[in-house]
């Protein structure tokens, strides 16, 4: 079967590998759409310390069940359109014992620590497969990145009385905007790209701020009456955005961090104490987050096509990653069609 493989920094090939067999406790998926995400771009650039090269990337999945093992429950059927939770959990570490398996110490994500889904077929334990209703496989490929944003909103304990600032309007940030708006919060979206900010408005942002052309602090004072945001969700992963989050969140606010900063970050730690802040990490997503995104996308008039920058064929993966590397701010999601 056909597969896309990143073999080294800025080196991508399309290879022929063996089609997997379906075990008794597994589901064999026929992949239709698989998304490229930021971790795949970092792998391509040689900047992903967690990846084991060479690797088949891909963990944002829209697929059809092709075969089921004999021990798979009847809730899963051949022909179902599904997505996948692409993480593993060991069941023994502190996170797993605390039932927060999304943060498993020994997690191996598809396409990072193990080969991923950018191929024609994939066999997985049935427990990792999430069936959907009234959705296309293309929509399903958007569920995983949005679920990460949904999970961050859960970590922030957002309510309808909160003002939430989301820094970064990529797919994960969009998920945080959507979930916050669904909970009735007032959402302020921040980004450096006006096109992404316009997209944020269509999915629930009440206000938008361009952090390059506008004075963020002055705009927040204006929008919040000087109280500043109750919650800030950092979905970029840069020292400047981490500092922005801590500096601009209101007193007794919550800061939730999704992005990995690639360099050390310096803070005025007095703000942690003076504001009595809750600073929380948010990693991956839980199955409930996946189901919540699927429900949203199936029931709402979601402009999901506007969230897809390109749909490409496997043979175009190398040139597309090279283009993305040169134009990182212009991409919501790139889907590979099988």
């Amino acid at each position: 079967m056909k597969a896309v493989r990143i073999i080294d920094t800025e080196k991508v090939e399309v290879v022929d590998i063996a089609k997997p067999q379906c075990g008794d406790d597994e589901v064999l998926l026929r992949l239709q759409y698989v998304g490229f995400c930021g971790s795949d771009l970092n792998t391509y650039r040689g900047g992903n310390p967690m990846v084991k090269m060479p690797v088949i990337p891909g963990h944002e999945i829209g697929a059809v069940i092709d075969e089921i093992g004999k021990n798979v429950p009847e809730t899963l059927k051949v022909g179902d359109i599904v997505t996948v939770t692409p993480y593993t959990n060991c069941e023994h570490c502190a996170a797993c014992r605390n039932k927060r398996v999304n943060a498993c110490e020994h997690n191996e994500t598809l396409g990072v620590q193990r080969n991923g889904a950018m191929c024609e077929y994939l066999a997985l334990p049935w427990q990792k497969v999430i069936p959907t209703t009234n959705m296309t496989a293309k929509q399903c490929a958007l569920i995983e990145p949005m679920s990460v944003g949904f999970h961050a909103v859960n970590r922030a304990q957002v309510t309808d009385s909160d003002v939430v600032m989301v820094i970064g309007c990529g797919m994960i940030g969009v998920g945080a905007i959507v979930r916050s708006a669904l909970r009735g919060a007032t959402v302020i979206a921040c980004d450096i790209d006006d096109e992404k900010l316009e997209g944020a408005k269509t999915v629930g942002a009440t206000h938008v701020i361009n952090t390059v052309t506008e004075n963020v602090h002055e705009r927040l004072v204006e929008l919040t009456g000087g109280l500043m945001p109750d919650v800030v969700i950092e979905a970029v992963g840069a020292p400047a955005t981490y500092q922005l989050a801590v500096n601009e969140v209101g007193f007794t606010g919550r800061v939730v961090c999704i992005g990995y900063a690639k360099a050390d970050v310096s803070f005025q730690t007095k703000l942690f104490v003076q504001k009595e802040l809750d600073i929380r990490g948010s990693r991956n997503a839980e199955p409930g987050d996946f189901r919540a995104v699927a429900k949203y996308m199936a029931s709402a008039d979601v402009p999901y096509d506007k969230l897809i920058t390109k749909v490409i064929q496997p043979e175009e993966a190398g040139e597309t990653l090279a283009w993305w590397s040169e134009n990182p701010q212009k991409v919501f999601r790139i889907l590979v069609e099988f």
Side-chain angles (χ1 to χ4, degrees):
M1 68 174 184
K2 186 183 297 185
V4 174
R5 184 161 61 190
I6 302 174
I7 58 175
D8 205 343
T9 301
E10 297 185 351
K11 293 182 180 179
V12 180
E13 62 182 4
V14 178
V15 296
D16 185 58
I17 62 174
K19 179 181 175 180
Q21 300 296 310
C22 184
D24 290 346
D25 297 300
E26 291 184 324
V27 170
L28 181 67
L29 301 181
R30 177 165 52 86
L31 281 301
Q32 293 195 335
Y33 293 92
V34 182
F36 271 127
C37 79
S39 64
D40 299 323
L41 180 61
N42 287 335
T43 298
Y44 172 79
R45 288 171 160 176
N48 189 341
M50 295 182 290
V51 76
K52 298 177 182 178
M53 292 279 213
V55 67
I56 296 171
H59 55 256
E60 302 173 359
I61 294 169
V64 176
I65 294 180
D66 194 70
E67 184 181 342
I68 57 174
K70 67 179 183 180
N71 296 333
V72 175
E74 294 181 357
T75 52
L76 295 173
K77 297 179 175 62
V78 171
D80 284 352
I81 296 175
V82 302
T83 191
V84 167
T85 53
Y87 327 115
T88 63
N89 56 283
C90 70
E91 301 183 2
H92 303 296
C93 71
C96 288
R97 287 189 305 175
N98 290 331
K99 302 188 186 303
R100 290 166 64 176
V101 297
N102 58 291
C104 174
E105 180 180 355
H106 306 292
N107 167 65
E108 293 186 349
T109 299
L110 285 172
V112 185
Q113 295 93 342
R114 56 188 173 131
N115 280 327
M118 206 155 282
C119 51
E120 293 183 274
Y121 291 89
L122 184 68
L124 288 171
W126 67 264
Q127 296 92 338
K128 298 297 181 182
V129 177
I130 298 178
T132 63
T133 304
N134 299 323
M135 290 186 66
T136 66
K138 184 184 287 187
Q139 288 173 301
C140 284
L142 302 177
I143 289 177
E144 193 276 342
M146 289 190 70
S147 73
V148 176
F150 271 46
H151 183 68
V153 172
N154 286 342
R155 292 283 292 140
Q157 298 175 297
V158 171
T159 71
D160 58 1
S161 63
D162 286 324
V163 175
V164 179
M165 179 168 77
V166 178
I167 306 174
C169 296
M171 278 296 296
I172 291 173
V174 164
I177 291 165
V178 168
R179 189 57 157 169
S180 297
L182 289 174
R183 292 192 174 188
T186 299
V187 184
I188 303 169
C190 297
D191 202 277
I192 64 174
D193 186 90
D194 286 331
E195 186 176 348
K196 287 186 176 180
L197 291 171
E198 286 301 312
K201 290 180 183 178
T202 68
V203 295
T206 313
H207 309 284
V208 298
I209 301 174
N210 186 310
T211 56
V212 172
T213 62
E214 299 180 77
N215 185 305
V216 178
H217 180 76
E218 290 180 1
R219 285 280 284 136
L220 289 174
V221 169
E222 173 192 341
L223 294 173
T224 66
L227 296 176
M228 311 307 280
D230 303 286
V231 173
V232 177
I233 296 175
E234 197 286 333
V236 175
T241 51
Y242 265 76
Q243 292 165 342
L244 179 67
V246 170
N247 291 344
E248 300 300 341
V249 71
F251 275 63
T252 68
R254 289 99 72 196
V255 175
V256 175
C257 306
I258 308 174
Y260 287 94
K262 308 302 186 294
D264 291 344
V265 184
S266 297
F267 293 105
Q268 294 186 60
T269 54
K270 68 177 183 179
L271 296 179
F272 296 9
V273 178
Q274 287 180 337
K275 293 184 179 182
E276 198 172 59
L277 299 181
D278 290 333
I279 300 177
R280 305 172 185 178
S282 182
R283 184 182 178 193
N284 300 329
E286 297 176 330
D289 301 310
F290 281 74
R291 290 191 291 269
V293 174
K295 180 180 178 182
Y296 162 73
M297 294 191 72
S299 63
D301 185 18
V302 180
Y304 71 91
D305 279 336
K306 294 182 179 179
L307 303 176
I308 300 171
T309 306
K310 287 187 176 185
V311 177
I312 66 169
Q313 300 303 305
E315 292 77 11
E316 300 172 279
E319 63 186 78
T320 301
L321 282 169
W323 171 82
W324 188 13
S325 185
E326 295 297 322
N327 300 275
Q329 301 303 327
K330 297 301 180 184
V331 172
F332 273 113
R333 263 308 170 269
I334 296 168
L335 302 184
V336 180
E337 182 180 13
F338 286 89

